Amino acid sequence: MMGIQPVRFSPVGEYLRLVVMQRLARGPAPVEELDKQAREAVEKTGIRYDWRVWPELLKREVVVKDGVAELTKEGRWIYEQTREEVAEYLRKFWIE
């Protein structure tokens, strides 16, 4: 079993992480695609946040090589284990 220490980011940071990980769960993606998706996701929230931080937020979960990003083994495991919990956390934040 992997020893992962959970880290919580701001709700917008968690949302940004979830959006990027959801996309990469389907397979590798060009960084430009993820940048566009990250910018659009943050803009939808209406909260001022630097969408360009997604690589730093996901430094353990995502590897970028030759302009293409993909989930690491650890990233895929984290996504699979936490996606529902994070989605519930975000629902509560945006509703309350």
Side-chain angles (χ1 to χ4, degrees), residues 21-94:
M21 289 175 79
Q22 280 178 333
R23 169 55 191 90
L24 293 177
R26 296 190 324 253
V31 170
E32 295 82 16
E33 177 186 332
L34 296 174
D35 283 346
K36 180 179 181 213
Q37 191 173 26
R39 182 180 27 72
E40 290 172 355
V42 170
E43 287 173 354
K44 277 192 221 178
T45 70
I47 296 172
R48 186 179 165 147
Y49 192 84
D50 188 351
W51 59 269
R52 293 169 291 210
V53 302
W54 73 261
E56 184 63 25
L57 292 175
L58 292 153
K59 63 185 173 187
R60 290 187 321 173
E61 295 88 350
V62 174
V63 64
V64 177
K65 184 176 180 186
D66 298 326
V68 176
E70 66 180 301
L71 287 174
T72 62
K73 275 185 168 181
E74 182 179 11
R76 184 164 300 283
W77 185 85
I78 290 170
Y79 174 69
E80 291 170 356
Q81 299 300 313
T82 65
R83 66 181 167 211
E84 294 301 321
E85 179 182 336
V86 171
E88 182 60 28
Y89 165 72
L90 293 172
R91 274 191 288 278
K92 287 179 181 179
F93 174 79
W94 298 120

Side-chain angles (χ1 to χ4, degrees), residues 11-31:
V12 178
E14 287 291 346
Y15 177 60
L16 184 52
R17 285 172 46 82
L18 183 63
V19 166
V20 171
M21 289 175 79
Q22 280 178 333
R23 169 55 191 90
L24 293 177
R26 296 190 324 253
V31 170

